[in-house]
Amino acid sequence: MNSLNFFDSIFNPENYVPSYRTTSVSPRVNILRTKKAYVLTMDLPGLTEKDINITLKNELLTIKSAKKDEKEEEKAEDMDNELLLCERIEGMEFERSFNMPKDIDDSKVSATFKNGVLSVEIARKEEEAEKRIEIKIA
């Protein structure tokens, strides 16, 4: 097999299954518990803070994005171009939910986004001190 036939077999659309059709996007996450808060960090390259939606309800933290890859849609419309290999994910559509512990303070939540990394901090409630109950003589 000469080198041209080899490349033809690799880039033949009949032999190629794009990876974005066979895998799902699930951003990587770290969750840290400190004495005062829970801190979740999530890698979201290629997104902006406007592409991300964060909700917290009944101790369920949900982070989602539905950013479509406009560039690839535009390329598909142009019949003169043919996408031969697509491994980069420029649009990111996902939804992840996390059951948070009961000791969160949902009135103290903050989120920041810098260099493609989302950080969500949820304060923890202070532990209630043990309360001594006095016994009365009846």
Side-chain angles (χ1 to χ4, degrees):
M1 172 186 295
N2 70 31
S3 61
L4 291 177
N5 287 340
F6 174 73
F7 284 109
D8 286 343
S9 68
I10 291 175
F11 292 115
N12 183 345
E14 294 172 5
N15 298 333
Y16 177 67
V17 178
S19 61
Y20 65 85
R21 291 185 186 160
T22 59
T23 61
S24 63
V25 175
S26 185
R28 296 174 186 249
V29 175
N30 288 350
I31 300 177
L32 174 69
R33 180 178 63 197
T34 68
K35 289 182 180 180
K36 297 189 177 199
Y38 292 96
V39 182
L40 178 143
T41 54
M42 179 181 281
D43 292 337
L44 298 173
L47 297 182
T48 68
E49 66 278 358
K50 294 175 185 172
D51 300 322
I52 305 163
N53 185 21
I54 306 169
T55 58
L56 177 62
K57 183 177 181 181
N58 299 328
E59 288 116 21
L60 184 68
L61 176 70
T62 302
I63 303 171
K64 61 183 170 180
S65 174
K67 181 180 179 188
K68 302 280 187 194
D69 183 5
E70 295 108 18
K71 293 178 185 174
E72 295 305 327
E73 290 173 4
E74 290 171 9
K75 289 178 188 173
E77 292 175 5
D78 185 355
M79 300 307 268
D80 292 334
N81 294 329
E82 182 178 0
L83 183 62
L84 299 177
L85 180 63
C86 182
E87 294 181 343
R88 295 181 62 230
I89 300 173
E90 293 181 17
M92 188 180 290
E93 191 172 351
F94 73 91
E95 180 173 327
R96 292 206 55 191
S97 294
F98 304 89
N99 288 311
M100 302 303 293
K102 299 273 185 209
D103 68 339
I104 64 169
D105 185 348
D106 61 3
S107 67
K108 296 179 182 174
V109 180
S110 64
T112 58
F113 190 74
K114 183 177 181 183
N115 296 331
V117 179
L118 173 69
S119 294
V120 179
E121 185 170 320
I122 305 171
R124 295 175 69 185
K125 294 177 186 174
E126 292 184 26
E127 274 190 40
E128 293 183 21
E130 187 175 64
K131 183 178 178 182
R132 180 165 163 76
I133 300 172
E134 188 177 323
I135 302 172
K136 298 181 182 179
I137 299 175

